Amino acid sequence: MSGVTDGYEMVIGLEIHCQLKTRTKLFSAASANFGDAPNANTDAVCLGLPGALPVCNRLAIELATRASLGLECTVHPVSVFARKHYFYPDLPKGYQISQFDRPLATGGRVVVGTNADGTARVIGITRVHVEEDAGKSVHDRFPGFSAIDLNRAGTPLIEIVSEPDLRSSADAGAYVRAVKQILEYTEVSDANMEEGSLRVDVNISARPVGQDAFGTRTEIKNLNSISGVERSIEIEFARQCAVLRAGGEVEQRTMLWDGVRNEVRPARSKEGSHDYRYFPEPDLPPLVLDPSFIEAHRVALPELPAAKRARFASVYGLSASEIEQLTVTVELADRYEAVAAASGDAKRAANWVLGVLLASVNARGGALSAHPVSVARLGALIALEASGAVSNTAAKQVFALLEAEDVEPRLIAEREGLLQVSDDGALVAWIDEVIAEMPTEAARFLAGEKKLQGVLVGAVMKKSKGSADPKKVNQLLAGRIP
């Protein structure tokens, strides 16, 4: 939707919290596995017990560095961990180890599409910093009580803070999708929003159109879906506009999104950095990264989504829509390229992967990697169709059979009588039978109603069980018109 309503413009900045793909926590050897029994994955460090000292997880720093480089940030050789103080039941220490004035990385960018003039729509990234997660308060498990699960306490996170460059809910949704995709491509996180591996805080304010100064912002916390991000922005912006139109002032507050009631409601007054009483973490030295370490991770970056889309357009000549769909995940993009190579027909491979293959994966309810039709078999089937040996209809029948048996596609087509028939004698016989069975339609077609040609061709294809060559059937039918 538009980011302008009744003369007010929305200004949005997002904070994306991403859980890093490590086995253990950021400062201890406790497991970071998701879904275990409550409070099973804790130790003295997670619980903040006296004398417990943090030790930094090397893999977490490597993943954070890779993510920062994928987001085109400058990774700093020296960054500093800090204590961020606040008092929640799910934060046993009374503070969170994060980074403040000296973060791991700054100054990145993400492209989320194009502007009206065709230029890239770029959203700036202010910073990426490393921090530990807090635990979780559970309010719906025991009636009348709140429970605490500390399994998540100490889990390694990066927080990705955008510039206030977003001007609509659609912008915000596109930005989250783009960042999520980069995190998945760089394999730093599974970015599963349903499991809380990726959570979004929205900072939003309203200002009169044309005004440079920002309005007073509110922050909507812990959104775990892109639709929730977009809907909460629209609702909170409408609320702020109503307050301003009535002559009131927007209060700087932390808000909560209720997706069931479709409403944003206040939670507490919004803290400033002074409220957190930041100071350098005394139990951890500055994080020092050798420039060669940073450069090695830069060189080792995989092909990122934007580069892959550009290459697909150049090498395979696909449409923008096809490219967008095929590059949603690395797994799908890799599967497509393998099928294209096996079939020798990139365009036809795109149609099959996006159509028949994905429909089958969705219907079966499994993962793409678990689909029984191998790259080699699908490539051979597509090549068989491209050669004219089987029709598209027959090829789909072969594909369905391939899901149950690992056999050469041509052998299945021969066994099932699905090889395409191009022999004029056989085609003429089928055409004659259809004309005899559909005398009214045939008479109208022969009298000049060309639109009925498709009906007759369809009938021939049905009679031949998809084996008739539709191009030759069309030619032979057209030749019968006086």
Side-chain angles (χ1 to χ4, degrees):
M1 293 179 67
S2 170
V4 176
T5 300
D6 294 337
Y8 290 99
E9 175 187 45
M10 65 172 70
V11 178
I12 307 162
L14 299 184
E15 299 168 8
I16 295 178
H17 303 261
C18 168
Q19 180 176 325
L20 300 174
K21 195 186 291 185
T22 62
R23 290 187 304 104
T24 56
K25 295 189 178 179
L26 183 55
F27 299 117
S28 82
S31 172
N33 190 54
F34 176 82
D36 289 349
N39 297 304
N41 300 334
T42 59
D43 61 9
V45 176
C46 303
L47 298 173
L49 298 182
L53 293 175
V55 177
C56 197
N57 184 327
R58 178 185 174 91
L59 178 58
I61 301 306
E62 291 179 353
L63 296 177
T65 299
R66 190 191 308 168
S68 299
L69 294 169
L71 294 165
E72 300 187 40
C73 293
T74 298
V75 177
H76 300 295
V78 180
S79 57
V80 175
F81 285 106
R83 289 189 179 182
K84 178 182 182 182
H85 294 80
Y86 57 95
F87 299 95
Y88 288 166
D90 55 16
L91 192 68
K93 296 193 297 283
Y95 62 86
Q96 174 190 30
I97 301 178
S98 183
Q99 292 183 317
F100 178 48
D101 55 345
R102 300 190 68 180
L104 176 70
T106 55
R109 67 196 293 271
V110 171
V111 177
V112 298
T114 55
N115 295 309
D117 60 2
T119 58
R121 179 84 175 97
V122 177
I123 306 302
I125 293 175
T126 308
R127 57 188 277 147
V128 175
H129 63 258
V130 184
E131 63 185 20
E132 62 178 345
D133 205 351
K136 182 180 181 181
S137 296
V138 181
H139 305 295
D140 57 359
R141 187 73 58 86
F142 307 103
F145 296 91
S146 289
I148 303 297
D149 181 3
L150 295 176
N151 277 351
R152 208 165 66 186
T155 299
L157 305 175
I158 53 173
E159 181 173 336
I160 303 161
V161 182
S162 82
E163 292 286 332
D165 293 340
L166 300 156
R167 295 292 178 269
S168 69
S169 58
D171 258 5
Y175 172 79
V176 175
R177 289 185 189 92
V179 170
K180 183 176 186 293
Q181 190 177 50
I182 290 170
L183 296 172
E184 291 169 340
Y185 265 61
T186 52
E187 298 184 315
V188 303
S189 174
D190 61 21
N192 187 324
M193 299 188 79
E194 291 181 356
E195 294 182 357
S197 298
L198 195 77
R199 308 190 296 273
V200 183
D201 295 344
V202 172
N203 290 282
I204 178 171
S205 63
R207 67 182 179 188
V209 173
Q211 176 179 298
D212 292 331
F214 295 148
T216 301
R217 66 187 173 92
T218 57
E219 183 178 26
I220 311 170
K221 298 287 287 186
N222 289 328
L223 297 156
N224 64 355
S225 71
I226 294 175
S227 63
V229 170
E230 294 175 336
R231 286 160 56 209
S232 65
I233 285 172
E234 292 292 336
I235 289 171
E236 174 59 9
F237 179 59
R239 186 192 72 82
Q240 290 189 17
C241 289
V243 169
L244 295 172
R245 281 197 306 272
E249 294 184 1
V250 174
E251 293 183 47
Q252 185 169 322
R253 305 201 69 171
T254 295
M255 315 292 284
L256 295 177
W257 164 245
D258 187 330
V260 176
R261 297 181 178 180
N262 214 39
E263 66 180 19
V264 175
R265 61 175 182 268
R268 61 181 186 273
S269 60
K270 172 64 181 161
E271 299 91 342
S273 60
H274 61 280
D275 295 310
Y276 293 121
R277 295 181 292 114
Y278 283 101
F279 62 78
E281 169 57 64
D283 292 332
L284 289 167
L287 178 62
V288 179
L289 305 181
D290 192 282
S292 63
F293 170 92
I294 299 171
E295 185 57 28
H297 281 282
R298 187 190 310 279
V299 172
L301 278 178
E303 183 179 42
L304 296 175
K308 192 178 289 291
R309 288 193 291 269
R311 182 171 62 81
F312 273 32
S314 172
V315 173
Y316 301 120
L318 303 175
S319 71
S321 175
E322 288 171 327
I323 292 169
E324 198 67 35
Q325 294 176 72
L326 287 169
T327 58
V328 165
T329 66
V330 177
E331 182 184 27
L332 181 58
D334 288 349
R335 175 64 64 94
Y336 161 70
E337 291 207 86
V339 172
S343 67
D345 191 325
K347 183 68 175 178
R348 201 179 292 261
N351 291 336
W352 271 86
V353 169
L354 292 175
V356 179
L357 178 59
L358 286 187
S360 175
V361 170
N362 292 335
R364 297 171 71 90
L368 175 61
S369 59
H371 195 274
V373 180
S374 69
V375 166
R377 295 295 191 222
L378 181 54
L381 176 58
I382 293 170
L384 200 64
E385 182 200 11
S387 71
V390 295
S391 68
N392 179 259
T393 300
K396 290 177 180 176
Q397 292 177 255
V398 172
F399 180 87
L401 294 169
L402 282 172
E403 291 182 301
E405 52 183 324
D406 185 21
V407 181
E408 180 64 34
R410 178 176 280 277
L411 295 178
I412 292 179
E414 290 173 351
R415 184 189 75 199
E416 301 295 326
L418 295 174
L419 287 177
Q420 191 154 274
V421 176
S422 298
D423 175 68
D424 283 5
L427 296 179
V428 166
W430 280 324
I431 290 172
D432 288 342
E433 288 179 26
V434 166
I435 287 175
E437 293 167 3
M438 303 175 69
T440 303
E441 291 85 350
R444 288 166 57 195
F445 166 69
L446 295 173
E449 280 193 54
K450 292 185 178 180
K451 65 182 181 180
L452 288 170
Q453 183 168 334
V455 175
L456 298 176
V457 170
V460 172
M461 296 305 297
K462 184 176 181 181
K463 181 172 286 293
S464 68
K465 298 180 180 178
S467 64
D469 182 340
K471 186 180 293 185
K472 293 205 71 174
V473 172
N474 271 291
Q475 291 172 350
L476 292 170
L477 273 172
R480 296 203 177 192
I481 298 177

